[in-house]
Amino acid sequence: MSQLHSPVSTTQAGPSGHQLRATDAVSASEELLEIARLRAADSGLAYTGALYPLEAWSLVEAGVATLVDVRTAEERKFVGQVPGSLHVAWQTGTALIKNPRFLRELENKAGGKDSVVVLLCRSGKRSAAAAEAAAKAGFTQVYNVLEGFEGDLDSQNQRGDVGGWRYWNLPWQQD
């Protein structure tokens, strides 16, 4: 049986406490995408942009971006996954061999090379490599989720306490 983990509230209220209108959400999404592009340019990244988990979720929830999990099927099953995310493995199996069909599968599942695609892996490193490959293949709106699903290693060499999708209490489920 699957268990769903989600934040207390996914509804955003404006400064005065009123709900954001659709035009506000579009404006906020455009601003987030611009910040992500600037972040990538400042860091010399070879893909469109870099987003933190909360930013990525905001874009996905607004319907502006498609979230694609590039981890292995085993990671998604045993560690957890974001409900509704697409899956296109960057690497497969226990040997983590690069998926030769990755770019073709990404294009087909994400709806084309001009779709806004947000890539997620365990820590943000494999998804960065996948984003770079996608950009080189002509994807024009490919973003990496910094911190990934589990975040960086802490002082005890464990994940989960230093950033990441789950750390920020964003929606996820586990089989």
Side-chain angles (χ1 to χ4, degrees), residues 18-170:
H18 70 282
Q19 298 300 314
L20 295 176
R21 293 185 303 266
T23 54
D24 296 334
V26 169
S27 178
S29 295
E30 289 171 4
E31 189 174 322
L32 280 178
L33 291 171
E34 180 61 21
I35 289 167
R37 287 189 289 269
L38 291 171
R39 192 177 287 136
D42 288 348
S43 298
L45 302 177
Y47 46 87
T48 312
L51 296 157
Y52 285 101
L54 291 166
E55 296 168 334
W57 177 243
S58 176
L59 294 170
V60 170
E61 195 174 39
V64 172
T66 300
L67 182 65
V68 179
D69 192 329
V70 302
R71 296 174 301 152
T72 66
E74 294 82 4
E75 284 176 289
R76 287 172 49 94
K77 178 171 180 54
F78 297 114
V79 178
Q81 61 186 294
V82 179
S85 64
L86 300 178
H87 179 232
V88 180
W90 171 243
Q91 298 169 316
T92 60
T94 57
L96 294 178
I97 296 174
K98 187 177 172 197
N99 177 1
R101 298 175 307 280
F102 176 77
L103 294 169
R104 204 173 35 239
E105 289 177 23
L106 181 63
E107 184 175 1
N108 289 336
K109 287 187 177 183
K113 290 185 176 181
D114 293 324
S115 298
V116 178
V117 180
V118 176
L119 303 180
L120 176 72
C121 72
R122 179 184 64 194
S123 66
K125 291 175 181 55
R126 280 179 287 167
S127 53
E132 187 171 335
K136 286 180 181 174
F139 284 79
T140 61
Q141 296 291 318
V142 63
Y143 296 81
N144 179 40
V145 178
L146 302 166
E147 302 177 2
F149 188 74
E150 295 182 70
D152 292 327
L153 292 171
D154 64 17
S155 60
Q156 286 82 40
N157 285 333
Q158 297 177 341
R159 296 188 190 277
D161 292 327
V162 183
W165 193 273
R166 290 179 6 179
Y167 174 84
W168 292 110
N169 199 29
L170 294 169

